[in-house]
Amino acid sequence: MKKQHLLLLAFISLMAFSSCTGNKKTADSDVEQTTLSVDDLLATAEQETDKVVEVEGVCTHICSHGGKKLFLMGSDDSKTIRVESSDALGAFKSECANAMVLVKGKLKEERIDEAYLMKLENELAEGTAKEHGEDGEGCETEQKAQGQDSVSNEAERIKNFRARIAERNETEGKNYLSFYYIEADEYSIL
Amino acid sequence: MRKWSRTIHRDLSFFFSGVIIIYAISGFVLNHKNKINPDYTIKTFDFNVAGNYPLLKDDFTKDRVLTILEPYNESGNYTKHYFPNDNSMKVFLKGGSSLAIDLTDGSGIYERVRRRPIISQMSRLHYNSYKWWIIFSDIFAFALIIITLTGLVMTRGKKGLLGRGGIELIIGILIPLGFIFFC
């Protein structure tokens, strides 16, 4: 009798495991969506913010801690967008690395302004700044995506942001920088 | 009380022994992740592309890149190639491998990435990637407490909590406390 209970428990855990693979990458969609390249998406990002988009690109990096972030590259590494997985979607499959990946999800805007930079400076001074990635590669990919591949430390990074904010304020009247990322609902490896 | 503890301790230990081993192995590998990549084995191969240097970007058509990949059996894994700058070309290959060529002298590096079997899956579980795994590992976490508590009380006498077991318990608690307060 006890043996049967144990077998039942093992069966339940197996079922739980198999069901978790079911919430990954579905390609079906009720509404037909135009698939954009990363270049096209970034070019129209301001208009597409908070809308559901479908984009394809080469996955150049998956965050090694947890695998819940990846980067899609367009024509070159200056055209890169970060994709974040939801809890429901779980970690991105490692097979995504260096493959063409199609992602569907909501485009979000991340703003970097003076308040953000002051907070970052305080955190760096206190040693509480959030570390990105484990081996620096994630950071490197994101820095390239933010047009900061030439800066080598946080102080230079902040200085670079300030200079670009001032430039944008002068040309567009906006005292912040906009970076975009996708909150993925679905993805598939092409 | 001891009889129940023994039964619960035994059954939970049997049931969760597989998970304990997974966490132990993946925990060890993650502790040494600077030396052991839990997900992949990476090997690099040097080669040279013949031609007039510096090589021209326009010469690297998809067909030529596929020819370069052939000796490594990677032509079927071609995803895309691009030029990160004027002096280099990079090829992305499905499976995580890549190839880079220095256009100034034709020197190239093929980086072969292969998924490490079993350990990569274990470390993936360790990171709690799946929703249902999080639920299961939460249950496991509470079960570990129960296994510990029942283990503490199930043996009596000189080897139990009031004897050798108690001393081992205190030493086992003092070690992490030492790290917390002195490291």
Side-chain angles (χ1 to χ4, degrees):
Chain A
M1 192 63 182
K2 197 176 279 179
K3 196 185 279 181
Q4 284 174 330
H5 284 161
L6 285 171
L7 283 171
L8 181 67
L9 278 171
F11 177 73
I12 291 166
S13 53
L14 269 176
M15 291 306 290
F17 173 74
S18 59
S19 64
C20 75
T21 59
N23 61 23
K24 281 201 178 308
K25 58 183 183 75
T26 50
D28 298 336
S29 178
D30 295 333
V31 183
E32 201 172 307
Q33 187 107 28
T34 309
T35 303
L36 299 168
S37 66
V38 176
D39 297 33
D40 290 342
L41 179 65
L42 291 175
T44 56
E46 203 170 338
Q47 297 85 55
E48 299 294 325
T49 303
D50 291 324
K51 290 179 188 167
V52 174
V53 296
E54 195 172 271
V55 62
E56 68 176 39
V58 183
C59 168
T60 55
H61 180 76
I62 305 177
C63 176
S64 54
H65 188 94
K68 294 181 86 172
K69 283 183 193 172
L70 62 74
F71 293 86
L72 288 186
M73 188 187 88
S75 56
D76 61 55
D77 52 15
S78 66
K79 309 280 192 310
T80 300
I81 191 162
R82 188 176 83 232
V83 181
E84 295 186 2
S85 169
S86 62
D87 285 341
L89 196 60
F92 291 109
K93 283 191 164 188
S94 59
E95 289 85 346
C96 291
N98 288 5
M100 287 296 288
V101 176
L102 177 72
V103 171
K104 187 176 176 184
K106 191 179 273 188
L107 186 72
K108 304 293 288 183
E109 182 190 19
E110 184 177 35
R111 289 186 178 182
I112 291 185
D113 54 14
E114 187 53 35
Y116 174 94
L117 295 176
M118 281 174 72
K119 186 169 170 269
L120 181 60
E121 279 176 327
N122 287 336
E123 286 173 350
L124 287 168
E126 291 164 10
T128 55
K130 192 179 167 187
E131 285 183 23
H132 300 282
E134 288 175 350
D135 46 12
E137 199 184 338
C139 227
E140 199 180 299
T141 313
E142 186 143 36
Q143 275 184 213
K144 275 187 184 172
Q146 293 179 338
Q148 292 199 313
D149 44 332
S150 59
V151 299
S152 56
N153 57 52
E154 289 295 319
E156 273 185 35
R157 201 169 160 237
I158 290 168
K159 193 178 164 191
N160 175 280
F161 277 139
R162 283 216 169 96
R164 286 161 64 190
I165 289 170
E167 192 183 323
R168 193 180 191 204
N169 198 19
E170 206 166 288
T171 55
E172 298 174 46
K174 291 177 180 174
N175 59 352
Y176 58 87
L177 297 177
S178 300
F179 296 106
Y180 298 91
Y181 66 98
I182 299 170
E183 287 178 345
D185 295 321
E186 299 171 11
Y187 73 100
S188 58
I189 300 166
L190 302 174
Chain B
M1 172 77 167
R2 282 203 171 85
K3 192 186 165 193
W4 272 104
S5 294
R6 198 175 292 274
T7 306
I8 292 167
H9 186 86
R10 183 194 61 211
D11 287 346
L12 286 179
S13 297
F14 273 118
F15 184 74
F16 286 109
S17 57
V19 191
I20 290 169
I21 288 169
I22 285 173
Y23 272 100
I25 293 172
S26 57
F28 175 81
V29 175
L30 291 172
N31 266 353
H32 299 277
K33 65 188 171 201
N34 291 337
K35 292 173 190 160
I36 309 168
N37 186 325
D39 296 319
Y40 303 104
T41 56
I42 301 170
K43 201 171 175 183
T44 56
F45 301 84
D46 295 332
F47 65 94
N48 198 273
V49 179
N52 296 320
Y53 308 123
L55 300 167
L56 300 173
K57 287 182 184 179
D58 292 344
D59 292 343
F60 287 94
T61 60
K62 185 182 173 184
D63 285 341
R64 184 166 187 211
V65 173
L66 292 178
T67 310
I68 295 168
L69 294 173
E70 261 170 24
Y72 305 107
N73 294 321
E74 290 279 18
S75 49
N77 293 325
Y78 172 89
T79 301
K80 178 189 171 80
H81 73 280
Y82 85 111
F83 301 90
N85 52 55
D86 288 340
N87 297 326
S88 64
M89 185 202 70
K90 183 170 181 177
V91 188
F92 293 101
L93 301 166
K94 284 173 199 159
S97 300
S98 62
L99 186 140
I101 294 172
D102 185 336
L103 303 181
T104 58
D105 59 4
S107 62
I109 295 175
Y110 162 56
E111 188 180 80
R112 191 183 72 187
V113 175
R114 293 286 179 267
R115 197 170 168 77
R116 203 186 281 277
I118 303 169
I119 292 174
S120 62
Q121 283 89 353
M122 284 182 177
S123 67
R124 196 172 163 89
L125 285 177
H126 201 124
Y127 280 131
N128 290 343
S129 309
Y130 310 112
K131 184 180 149 194
W132 289 103
W133 177 257
I134 292 170
I135 294 168
F136 181 69
S137 54
D138 284 350
I139 295 167
F140 167 62
F142 284 107
L144 273 182
I145 295 170
I146 295 168
I147 289 169
T148 304
L149 295 177
T150 51
L152 290 176
V153 299
M154 73 183 199
T155 306
R156 63 179 161 187
K158 283 194 288 185
K159 292 178 183 172
L161 198 58
L162 299 176
R164 197 174 79 188
I167 295 166
E168 289 166 351
L169 173 69
I170 291 166
I171 294 170
I173 291 172
L174 286 176
I175 290 171
L177 285 179
F179 276 98
I180 291 168
F181 291 112
F182 299 111
C183 291

